[in-house]
Amino acid sequence: MKLAHRMYAGPAHIGTLRVASSFRNVHAIMHAPLGDDHFNVMRSMSERERDFTPVTASVVDRHVLARGSRDKVVSNISRKDEEQRPDLIVLTPTCTSSILQEDLQNFVDRASLYSESDVILADVNHYRVNELQASDKTLEQIVRHYLDRAREEGSSNQSLTDAPSANIIGISTPGFHNQHDCRELKRLLRESGVSINQIIPEGEFLRNLKDLPRAWFNTVPYREMGLMAATFLEKEYGMPHLSTTPIGISNTADFIVQIEKLLNLWAPVLLRKKLNYDLYVENQTKFVSQAAWFSKSIDCQNLAGKEAAVSGDATHAASITKILVGEMGIRVSCSGTYCKHDAERFNEQVRGLCDEVIITEDHTEVGDTIARIEPSVIFGTQMERHIGKRIDIPCGVISSPVHIQNFPLGYRPFLGYEGTNQISDLIYNSFNLGMEDHSLDVFGGHDTKGISTKSLSTDKKNIDWAPEAESEPKRIPGFVRGKIKRNTEIFAKQNNISEITVDVTYAAKERSSP
Amino acid sequence: MKTPETPAFECETGNYHTFCPISCVAWLYQKIEDSFSLVVGTKTCGYFLQNALGVMIFAEPRYAMAELEEGDISAQSNDQKELEKICLQIRDDRNPSVIIWIGTCTTEIIKMDLEGIAPKLERQIGIPIVVARANGLDYAFTQGEDTVLAAMAHRCPEYKWCETNSKRQDQSGRIRVNTTSNNKITSQKSELTGSNLVLFGSLPSSVASQLNSELKRQSILISGWLPSQKYDELPGLGGDVYVCGVNPFLSRTATTLMRRRKCQLIGAPFPIGPDGTRAWIEKICSVFNIKPDGLEEKENRIWKNIEDYIRVVTGKSVFFMGDNLLEISLARFLIRCGMIVYEIGIPYMDRRYQAAELLLLQHTCIKMKTPVPRIVEKPDNYGQVQRMHELKPHLAITGMAHANPLEARNIDTKWSVEFTFAQIHGSGNARDILELVTRPLRCKGGLTSGSRSLSKQTTII
């Protein structure tokens, strides 16, 4: 047992649901008690999703506890099969089903006898893996399931596409800026002459998965989801994969160099030429991305040597650390991630770039470290943003866990050349605001402060507030307090009341007209 | 139009979306200022709280998770030792007057004996520990508060003892609870009666004192609230005490107060809307043999005051998907406002505890000449969405999982959760309810029909 207030990565089933609801026409049925379907709220609210989230629960209640689920799960699967005809139903275990130890695989086997849809049981253990590991695992499981079947049926197609092509693995709902990143990554690949074979899981039909091996290579933009699937494809189908994340100028350049290498394995044979992207990289770096020029400009010189703390998932924290140190000359005092399962690789990535590496799932440890270091700026998750608020340090959000404001309507990729522009803005604005605040402190704040206290009414002296009544408006949220006080006084005047008591405030509220 | 005599009850599959009852810590820790809530559960519970309570979680809340790990599930670690460690840490960091343990699905399934461990630890660490089993196996959303208050009811002092031994303390407690009891008024109206009335249900303190003052106007001074602002101000309970609920989801608490504390329950409609508030006060007055004074006049005044909102809602239809048990009272109020209610979904319907409310609903329907809506217990959300496609209500009152998808299908929605957190009790807050209900309807007026169709979903479900 441990005392916990907040967590970075969610429980395992969230990862499974993210993958399932990202694919097209896949339905997830959770074996869970009432109220565990909060994923639907998150998806519907954060992503402002227009469709019903394809997740329902086979509710575990007292009866299930006493007698087992019996036919409940099976009939829920069949029912969903008839109602919505999904291509696949993923039975999703939760913490509750982990301890009930019902034979869910048996339910799946029975249900698949009757249902038109395919049915599988997500192979994740609540107590062993977190959201990110589970999403990785579930994606691999689904890919493996459909490729194995295609191979059995002899319908798998392993011939390489004529033109160079790639799969993008690991774009999902509700991932941090995933939709924008995906668009940018597609552009990056297309401009390198690589067409997109498939993007999984987001928006892909399962029946298309059999064509996955036709791509020349796979790219896995985020280390948190997709590496297992890519490794599987590499092992079984000999598909190479790129796990470099094209965040920042040097990473993006590195990414393109690796594409060049991979393509040149086949290009001389299939295209009868060798590809070279040096010019492309140079042009993009100079003209599309402003980040290289920005780091030369006077603005960025002002930032040199300033201290920052970085925290987030392994992909984003490592990339941002690299950008801050390598591209902008900012000192990173501490860089950390909550992806404990990927600690080794993270250490390797940020080695030599920061004074301190902190790998923990405990947000208080992160908070304490930041408070001790007192950096000028934090780049972290929503948690760090709130830590920053408490100790008055500005924070740029660079990674999940996310909040609705991390699903901007405008185009905000982190990846690729446009991503470098967005990140430069984010970094610069975070610092700038901090500086501005600081100078305001030094010079005694905005000189408009005196004017902002509006008087409530002109002849306030005629009306007295009884002490208890005086405290009454204090219970009202600040932004409407003035209005309510004013209305009460107007009401008192109209009714010739000289002293405002608590009862008067209520009477005023009851009678106040719009 | 045929008006059936009694409401028709139906019961569906229980496949509906609602909040987990552990969400009650969100408002209870704010209400009981010196408490600390400890949710004994898994990462799933923690993740839910963190996401559902959004901003609040970052404001140094007085609640936390005791997160169960694999060792706890397989009984490799000793529950009592583990809980002791955590509770000592809480004592040292926060020094609360009471720790509320919230049992979850997991503690139910592994049969962790929270009720057995609590008294032992209580003696050991010197802080009262109240155990409430607010789990998703048994309860929905607001019923979480019910389990906590039912557990809390056992901790209230004996009423007689209060009267004889600590009259002074009781008096001071009363004034603190009754922030409205202006000294002048108390001395003038020395003949105030009904001081053995305890109200139960957690309300924001300003709403609680509004209700206090409404009763005081009828010369009824209440002797306390369950829960109180502070743990050590819990009201005295006993055979001479009358109790009355302010929320429709408190049936366990009502049962506990009657059976275990021998209190006398006043079964009244709930003080939601001016009609409900009036009926609530009238019922309480009738118990104390008081002739209510000026209630009708006051109710009429309120109705007149909300005329502008009523013009917006009259004739509009509404569909309650059901997730927080406030549905019957809200539907009754909205019918009185002239709305047509197609369906009242509700997680759980206690027909005895809500009897007076159901009766008022029936009378309201007769008065407004509308059929009594069907009441669907344990609704099935999928079926409800299908019904909504046929009925095309003007407004769906629904959880956040369905709100955006329904909006995309051109059905205006109001998030039901807001009714739980907004101030909706007492006659003064009738405007606030209608403010919530009319918001989506007023929003629609602002947009031209052309731009509206842009947001319409094209796929048919």
Side-chain angles (χ1 to χ4, degrees), chain A residues 1-2 4 7 34 37 41 44 50-51 57 62 79 83 95-96 99 128 390 506 509-510 512 514, chain B residues 15 17 42 50 60 65 67 70 72-73 108 138 209-210 298 305 308 380 400 404-405 409 429:
Chain A
M1 231 180 267
K2 66 174 182 198
M7 66 186 73
L34 197 64
D37 58 351
V41 175
S44 165
R50 295 170 197 220
D51 264 317
R62 275 288 150 188
R79 190 186 144 188
E83 281 169 0
C95 58
T96 307
I99 13 177
R128 303 272 163 88
R390 276 192 58 202
Y506 296 146
K509 184 169 185 198
E510 277 164 20
S512 67
Chain B
N15 254 316
H17 166 77
T42 61
Q50 173 170 320
E60 283 300 304
M65 294 287 309
E67 195 183 307
E70 201 161 13
D72 301 301
I73 303 304
E108 286 299 310
D138 301 309
S209 52
Q210 279 173 46
K298 185 171 176 189
N305 185 29
D308 50 337
D380 185 281
M400 287 190 275
N404 269 337
R409 283 158 186 76
N429 288 319

Side-chain angles (χ1 to χ4, degrees), chain A residues 94-215:
Chain A
T94 59
C95 58
T96 307
S97 46
S98 288
I99 13 177
L100 281 177
Q101 296 195 324
E102 285 195 85
D103 190 358
L104 295 180
Q105 186 59 53
N106 172 35
F107 296 148
V108 164
D109 294 342
R110 269 166 60 200
S112 38
L113 291 179
Y114 307 109
S115 73
E116 302 254 320
S117 321
D118 300 326
V119 190
I120 61 169
L121 171 67
D123 179 22
V124 292
N125 181 331
H126 175 91
Y127 293 94
R128 303 272 163 88
V129 295
N130 67 19
E131 168 190 352
L132 303 172
Q133 293 161 292
S135 65
D136 204 8
K137 174 79 191 143
T138 305
L139 184 58
E140 188 239 25
Q141 192 186 353
I142 291 177
V143 166
R144 184 189 288 268
H145 183 85
Y146 281 93
L147 284 182
D148 283 355
R149 178 195 286 181
R151 191 138 65 173
E152 274 167 34
E153 290 172 351
S155 62
S156 79
N157 188 348
Q158 296 184 38
S159 59
L160 287 189
T161 53
D162 297 339
S165 67
N167 298 319
I168 301 175
I169 302 179
I171 303 289
S172 85
T173 176
F176 183 77
H177 292 245
N178 270 202
Q179 303 301 333
H180 310 292
D181 282 352
C182 181
R183 203 168 123 196
E184 187 63 20
L185 194 55
K186 271 156 71 177
R187 190 171 86 174
L188 199 62
L189 289 167
R190 205 173 297 132
E191 284 174 357
S192 320
V194 178
S195 63
I196 308 297
N197 185 46
Q198 277 173 24
I199 298 168
I200 58 168
E202 186 62 45
E204 191 55 84
F205 279 108
L206 295 170
R207 58 173 174 273
N208 298 336
L209 289 185
K210 64 177 190 325
D211 291 334
L212 270 178
R214 297 201 64 196

Side-chain angles (χ1 to χ4, degrees), chain B residues 20-269:
Chain B
C20 174
I22 58 172
S23 52
C24 68
V25 301
W27 63 89
L28 284 174
Y29 92 83
Q30 292 184 57
K31 176 71 195 173
I32 311 168
E33 288 168 357
D34 51 356
S35 68
F36 191 99
S37 303
L38 183 71
V39 181
V40 188
T42 61
K43 242 182 168 23
T44 308
C45 313
Y47 198 64
F48 162 71
L49 279 181
Q50 173 170 320
N51 283 296
L53 310 183
V55 198
M56 272 191 273
I57 193 122
F58 294 104
E60 283 300 304
R62 290 187 315 279
Y63 64 83
M65 294 287 309
E67 195 183 307
L68 301 168
E69 289 163 307
E70 201 161 13
D72 301 301
I73 303 304
S74 51
Q76 280 161 342
S77 35
N78 180 318
D79 296 339
Q80 186 173 337
K81 286 229 175 72
E82 296 288 317
L83 281 165
E84 182 190 330
K85 208 171 62 195
I86 286 175
C87 287
L88 282 174
Q89 202 178 331
I90 292 170
R91 186 187 69 180
D92 296 344
D93 292 350
R94 307 292 186 96
N95 195 26
S97 310
V98 60
I99 298 177
I100 304 170
W101 284 355
I102 307 284
T104 62
C105 304
T106 313
T107 57
E108 286 299 310
I109 298 169
I110 62 172
K111 300 195 167 50
M112 190 183 282
D113 184 20
L114 293 177
E115 277 96 345
I117 300 173
K120 291 183 208 159
L121 269 189
E122 190 170 312
R123 276 193 298 276
Q124 217 168 315
I125 66 171
I127 295 176
I129 296 172
V130 173
V131 182
R133 302 177 174 201
N135 61 65
L137 294 168
D138 301 309
Y139 305 110
F141 196 10
T142 48
Q143 287 179 291
E145 175 183 323
D146 193 21
T147 62
V148 174
L149 296 190
M152 202 76 90
H154 293 280
R155 302 304 181 110
C156 295
E158 200 57 43
Y159 181 66
K160 289 245 165 51
W161 183 85
C162 262
E163 280 295 87
T164 51
N165 289 353
S166 60
K167 186 109 186 171
R168 256 193 66 79
Q169 189 201 331
D170 185 44
Q171 202 71 27
S172 63
R174 182 183 300 166
I175 286 165
R176 228 173 302 158
V177 176
N178 260 303
T179 42
T180 58
S181 57
N182 186 317
N183 289 338
K184 200 161 62 183
I185 293 177
T186 334
S187 56
Q188 274 171 358
K189 293 189 176 177
S190 51
E191 73 286 352
L192 287 178
T193 51
S195 59
N196 55 346
L197 172 66
V198 169
L199 299 180
F200 59 94
S202 159
L203 293 180
S205 60
S206 64
V207 180
S209 52
Q210 279 173 46
L211 289 181
N212 287 348
S213 83
E214 299 222 28
L215 286 176
K216 206 176 63 190
R217 225 168 282 152
Q218 307 301 331
S219 309
I220 297 171
L221 192 59
I222 57 133
S223 70
W225 279 82
L226 174 69
S228 45
Q229 204 75 14
K230 292 263 167 66
Y231 177 73
D232 57 12
E233 287 167 6
L234 283 176
L237 296 175
D240 300 327
V241 175
Y242 285 93
V243 291
C244 188
V246 297
N247 268 324
F249 44 77
L250 298 172
S251 54
R252 272 178 76 88
T253 309
T255 314
T256 310
L257 290 170
M258 280 192 298
R259 297 201 182 143
R260 307 296 297 276
R261 305 306 306 262
K262 308 293 175 212
C263 301
Q264 298 170 59
L265 179 72
I266 303 175

Side-chain angles (χ1 to χ4, degrees), chain A residues 419-439:
Chain A
T420 61
N421 293 336
Q422 298 292 338
I423 293 171
S424 297
D425 278 346
L426 179 74
I427 292 175
Y428 182 66
N429 289 341
S430 308
F431 270 110
N432 197 24
L433 291 174
M435 289 289 285
E436 202 176 323
D437 256 11
H438 183 67
S439 17

